[in-house]
Amino acid sequence: MFVTRFAPSPTGYLHLGHAFAAITANEAAGGGRFLLRIEDIDSSRCRETFVEAIFQDLRWLGLSWVEPVLRQSARMEVYGSALDRLTRMGLVYPCFCTRAETAAEIAHAGEAPHGPDGPIYPGTCRQLPVEERLSRTRSGGGYALRLDSARAAARVGQLFFEEAAGHPPTDFERVRVNPVLFGDVVLARKDTPASYHLAVVIDDAAQSITLVTRGRDLLPSTHVQRVLQTLLNLPAPKYAHHRLILDEDGRKLSKREGSAALRNYRNADLRADEIVAMLQRA
Ligand code: GLU
């Protein structure tokens, strides 16, 4: 028995991939508890209508969850204090580089190590003298806060996470963490005061999640998330990264294209149990 969660971002209507993720999380709870979390930190992309639509679509699928639903947008102070804690540990530095500057620097270097999200930040601002850091942060311009991943790695030592060996998740394999897989990840930006990785580890702990189920595309994130959990003294859940539902061309479904939105199926008079059966075959 596990405590699991489904954690969509309300940036569009749920599609078949979300339905599969939600059903998988619910099943994996195995008589434990299935929770819901709305990942709405990025206020420029999230919409209240999509939050309502998430509830409706999940209910239509026949799912129910243990209240309360956790809303990330209401938890900025919690994320802020975790960030302060990491800063006091000397593991965070301000980064003033624009995306264009970083791209130019990487191009100039000729060859840059790549992480799961593309080229790794070259660490330009990590070297800035303290006085320059202070004067630039005080000048009021925007800046990001990055994790000093090498320092963090030294501090946490060798870590592992437990990944389900199959489905349903009964046996688990130990996976060795690569703490610098993403390099110096952004933990906060001026317009989004907490990054996905930071908020997720804090909230998985706050909701007492014991098994994180999510798509395989997020498996690499687990490496950096284990580092953050350890630094913040948070418990480590187990993980079960599941297969993705792909479109006819073998690509991941995206909310932007409205591909396979659940409500289209509902409007076409398909029944939820037909969707569930279809996903099992997909
Ligand atoms: N909010 C993320 C998404 O919509 C999921 C995060 C997670 O499961 O860790 O893809």
Side-chain angles (χ1 to χ4, degrees):
M1 276 208 313
F2 291 107
V3 183
T4 64
R5 52 43 166 205
F6 175 53
S9 304
T11 54
Y13 290 117
L14 296 187
H15 55 55
L16 289 178
H18 296 107
F20 184 69
I23 292 166
T24 304
N26 181 53
E27 272 174 15
R33 282 186 301 146
F34 169 61
L35 307 183
L36 185 58
R37 177 163 82 228
I38 302 294
E39 301 215 321
D40 56 351
I41 288 180
D42 185 352
S43 56
S44 66
R45 295 175 58 227
C46 297
R47 299 278 174 274
E48 215 44 46
T49 47
F50 294 134
V51 177
E52 255 329 294
I54 288 171
F55 297 146
Q56 287 167 6
D57 288 346
L58 293 179
R59 282 196 199 104
W60 177 68
L61 282 172
L63 296 174
S64 56
W65 49 91
V66 177
E67 298 282 349
V69 174
L70 191 140
R71 293 283 296 254
Q72 289 194 326
S73 54
R75 293 174 49 77
M76 293 304 175
E77 275 175 33
V78 182
Y79 309 139
S81 43
L83 203 52
D84 288 346
R85 212 166 130 192
L86 295 172
T87 305
R88 283 197 302 274
M89 290 160 86
L91 299 174
V92 174
Y93 64 88
C95 170
F96 308 93
C97 300
T98 61
R99 283 176 216 267
E101 282 164 354
T102 303
E105 173 138 1
I106 289 168
H108 183 72
E111 206 187 341
H114 270 60
D117 291 341
I120 283 179
Y121 175 68
T124 324
C125 288
R126 195 174 49 226
Q127 274 82 289
L128 285 184
V130 179
E131 307 78 58
E132 191 177 339
R133 266 186 197 174
L134 281 177
S135 70
R136 289 180 74 174
T137 46
R138 283 187 191 135
S139 73
Y143 59 90
L145 293 173
R146 288 186 181 271
L147 178 71
D148 186 329
S149 56
R151 272 198 185 189
R155 182 151 182 151
V156 296
Q158 185 59 68
L159 297 175
F160 296 87
F161 63 89
E162 302 273 321
E163 172 70 17
H167 188 76
T170 41
D171 297 321
F172 291 83
E173 288 163 355
R174 232 162 58 123
V175 180
R176 204 184 173 98
V177 168
N178 175 358
V180 295
L181 185 64
F182 285 81
D184 291 357
V185 278
V186 169
L187 295 180
R189 287 188 197 281
K190 193 178 173 204
D191 44 353
T192 8
S195 73
Y196 156 66
H197 296 303
L198 184 66
V200 161
V201 296
I202 293 169
D203 291 344
D204 282 336
Q207 292 187 292
S208 304
I209 302 301
T210 56
L211 177 70
V212 170
T213 65
R214 57 188 174 195
R216 240 172 236 161
D217 53 333
L218 287 174
L219 192 140
S221 304
T222 311
H223 291 263
V224 59
Q225 292 180 10
R226 272 298 291 129
V227 172
L228 292 172
Q229 279 158 1
T230 309
L231 293 171
L232 293 168
N233 275 328
L234 301 172
K238 288 183 159 66
Y239 292 86
H241 291 92
H242 56 72
R243 66 190 172 92
L244 299 174
I245 301 293
L246 305 173
D247 67 14
E248 293 101 51
D249 303 323
R251 285 179 317 203
K252 214 188 125 188
L253 299 175
S254 101
K255 276 189 213 145
R256 222 165 315 132
E257 290 153 28
S259 43
L262 283 180
R263 47 199 47 218
N264 295 344
Y265 289 94
R266 177 161 23 136
N267 294 339
D269 278 343
L270 238 82
R271 288 194 326 267
D273 59 314
E274 291 172 310
I275 298 282
V276 175
M278 189 168 101
L279 287 170
Q280 259 137 21
R281 289 193 307 268

